[in-house]
Amino acid sequence: LYRLVKCSHCNHWFWPNYLEHCVIPGYPEDNLEKLTWRIAGELELNGFVSESYLACEKCHNPITLQNLVESREWVAKHPSRLSLEGWQVSPFDLPTFHTPAELTRKLISYKEHSGHFRNFSLGLPYSDSTNSIIDSIVEEMTVVEPIEPELGVSGYCIAGLDIGLVSWLTIAIPTQQGVDIVWAEQIKTGADGAGLEETVLLRMLQYNVALLVSDAAPFAPSVRSIRSKSAEGCVLPCFYTLGNKKIEDFVVRRDEISANRTKTLNTTLRLINKREVRFPKHPETRTIRRHLQALKRIDRVEGGEEVSYWAGKDDDHYFHSINYLLMSYQQTNYSGESAGSHFALLPGFSSVDVGELA
């Protein structure tokens, strides 16, 4: 349902939208879609923001406060649907508090965080490089020639593994510029995890994997078995946490990783959107791209404090596999040294002796 307003000049009903229907004298565009906080700041300095107003989408005359208070009606966007799905709230539902001028000043106060302005002040969905993987960047960075398992590599690789009835493995070569994913595959396993251990151990041998980070569930025995049959320190199970603010990204304790889910996914978002992850020219990359679009970061204010979390509805397994892969990457010294070296870790991490691979 949308709460429409009736224009007192032409009797046209419409849903008031700040971006489409607000007018700021001195701003030349037909709407405010391209208005930035810097331009808005200049308009404020010149006194134009105080003169802004909400205009009728049909006759373009100003909508008065009386219109916004008295001439309102809830209207269904899809009248044929019998179930009630929700209400779309507009800031102009509180017209004395959310005036066009005050909304523009909020845009200025958010500065570069325009997505927050649209989410928090306008109540609109918004995706950009701060809360979503940009698919066009993934497509642009799909430039790596895949390396088939039987060919092997001359140096060493790192890996990430998301486990389930189908497990999702990504393998990459770390470089000074980022990571080149050279192989990705789905590993179908039995209800008890049968088949996972053999395939993962084989891939670790074929790709000379120096460090693999895997989720610790649901097949914990398989993870422990893989770790027991690998060189010491080469396999680290990861336990996600949701609210431990003491963990900046992740920490290595003994033989496992404790990771802040939101913060590590934020790091993966940043590295991919900064073009530090390159993807293989392989049919499996189509699935990777779909999974990377399945999760979005939600930012909201709760109890006066801004909180963030990642949510989605579709399959997102490769997103987590790459998240684990990039935890492996952040622990290497990016130098291309062969397996068996003692990796230089980020500040605050324990040392990981990756041992010698067979």
Side-chain angles (χ1 to χ4, degrees), residues 146 148 183-184 186 280-290:
E148 298 289 336
W183 187 248
Q186 305 174 34
K281 295 187 290 184
H282 188 275
E284 193 66 11
T285 299
R286 289 194 293 268
T287 304
I288 292 175
R289 289 173 62 180
R290 188 173 70 251

